[in-house]
């Protein structure tokens, strides 16, 4: 079965640089979520999109922005990177249209961002 | 707002022994409850979920959890663990009236030894 695809899997950037993370949800999933997981920490919700519109916002820095495109893939743009941005960034997708997998979020493998 | 407390940061257990991971939550609104597992350097995989109905929920890999509304708990159990169950386990909640964001607990590291 198709899963959530994230690219790149690993990314190394220097401070003050910009990074773009991409997420391709499971086909026919209409909602995408972004989470940030720091070393040894639990995932923290950043932002979500439903049908290409921002649906919810969490603890996302103003330096970060995201959008969902017409093909439902999503991109997380991170500018003026700081050392503290080093983390695992997960994308998840879901579809709440009913069925046995309603309300389940399917997570991608994550993008490991290292800021040096 | 919701919060999730996982009462044990690490649980050592011998192979074929039972294990219980404790999760308590607080919320001013109704919630859905989830348990996820994360193997090293991998994403999160759903073990089971509670939406409504029977308070005993069975999931994948022999795991089950019981929802206790009065105690606001959702403890995860497995009667006999394998070495391959060594992983980080996260309890998570989602408000039923939300757009779906998950609030995770701090996680419980399960280490299974022979």
């Amino acid at each position: 079965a198709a899963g959530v695809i994230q690219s790149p899997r690993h990314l190394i950037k220097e401070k003050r640089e910009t990074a773009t993370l991409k997420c391709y949800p499971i086909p026919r999933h209409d909602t995408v979520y972004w989470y940030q997981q720091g070393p040894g920490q639990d995932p923290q919700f950043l932002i979500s999109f439903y049908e290409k519109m921002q649906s919810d916002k969490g603890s996302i820095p103003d330096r970060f922005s995201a959008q969902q495109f017409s093909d439902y893939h999503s991109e997380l743009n991170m500018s003026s990177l700081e050392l503290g941005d080093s983390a695992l960034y997960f994308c998840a997708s879901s579809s709440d249209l009913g069925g046995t997998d309603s309300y389940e979020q399917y997570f991608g493998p994550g993008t490991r961002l290292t800021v040096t | 707002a919701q919060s999730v407390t996982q009462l044990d940061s690490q649980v050592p257990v011998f192979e074929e022994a039972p294990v219980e991971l404790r999760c308590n939550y607080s919320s001013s609104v109704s919630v859905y409850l989830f348990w996820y597992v994360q193997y090293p350097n991998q994403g999160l995989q759903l073990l089971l979920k509670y939406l409504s109905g029977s308070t005993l929920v069975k999931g994948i890999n022999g795991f089950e959890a019981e929802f206790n509304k009065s105690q606001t708990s959702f403890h995860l159990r497995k009667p006999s663990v394998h070495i391959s169950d060594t992983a980080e386990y996260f309890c998570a909640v989602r408000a039923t009236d939300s757009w779906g964001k998950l609030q995770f607990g701090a996680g419980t590291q399960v280490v299974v030894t022979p």
Side-chain angles (χ1 to χ4, degrees):
Chain A
V4 177
I5 297 171
Q6 291 188 247
S7 67
R9 293 292 308 278
H10 301 273
L11 191 58
I12 299 175
K13 291 286 186 178
E14 295 187 356
K15 282 194 307 183
R16 293 180 289 278
E17 285 192 322
T18 297
T20 297
L21 280 54
K22 297 184 179 183
C23 169
Y24 298 86
I26 292 172
R28 292 181 296 282
H29 279 193
D30 50 21
T31 306
V32 166
Y33 310 83
W34 286 96
Y35 294 87
Q36 176 192 56
Q37 185 178 30
Q41 298 182 10
D42 58 292
Q44 294 290 319
F45 171 74
L46 293 177
I47 196 167
S48 63
F49 293 88
Y50 168 71
E51 286 290 345
K52 294 154 278 184
M53 298 289 288
Q54 181 181 307
S55 54
D56 202 353
K57 195 172 181 180
S59 51
I60 184 169
D62 292 339
R63 300 177 288 108
F64 294 7
S65 64
Q67 58 181 332
Q68 187 178 30
F69 294 86
S70 57
D71 64 351
Y72 292 94
H73 93 273
S74 178
E75 295 184 2
L76 177 65
N77 298 293
M78 311 160 70
S79 63
S80 302
L81 288 169
E82 302 173 356
L83 295 178
D85 295 329
S86 295
L88 196 54
Y89 290 83
F90 287 111
C91 171
S93 72
S94 72
S95 174
D96 287 351
L97 295 179
T100 57
D101 65 346
S102 286
Y103 308 107
E104 289 183 26
Q105 291 185 24
Y106 293 82
F107 283 76
T111 293
R112 184 169 296 281
L113 173 66
T114 302
V115 181
T116 62
Chain B
Q2 297 80 45
S3 68
V4 180
T5 302
Q6 291 185 240
L7 297 161
D8 307 291
S9 60
Q10 188 169 44
V11 173
V13 59
F14 288 109
E15 192 175 17
E16 297 183 6
V19 70
E20 179 180 78
L21 308 184
R22 297 177 293 168
C23 172
N24 287 91
Y25 70 94
S26 67
S27 177
S28 56
V29 299
S30 298
V31 295
Y32 300 130
L33 296 146
F34 306 83
W35 274 99
Y36 282 86
V37 60
Q38 185 177 30
Y39 299 102
N41 300 312
Q42 294 189 28
L44 291 93
Q45 181 183 9
L46 181 69
L47 283 176
L48 46 78
K49 64 182 179 184
Y50 174 80
L51 303 181
S52 64
S54 173
T55 57
L56 183 62
V57 179
K58 294 189 182 298
I60 63 171
N61 301 341
F63 285 93
E64 64 180 32
E66 186 152 21
F67 169 58
N68 188 316
K69 188 174 182 179
S70 63
Q71 297 185 6
T72 60
S73 67
F74 190 53
H75 300 334
L76 180 71
R77 302 184 185 95
K78 186 170 182 177
S80 176
V81 297
H82 303 291
I83 296 289
S84 59
D85 291 321
T86 295
E88 186 92 22
Y89 292 79
F90 291 97
C91 181
V93 301
R94 164 192 166 171
T96 59
D97 62 353
S98 76
W99 283 99
K101 68 178 179 183
L102 294 172
Q103 177 71 46
F104 287 89
T108 298
Q109 179 68 43
V110 172
V111 180
V112 182
T113 53

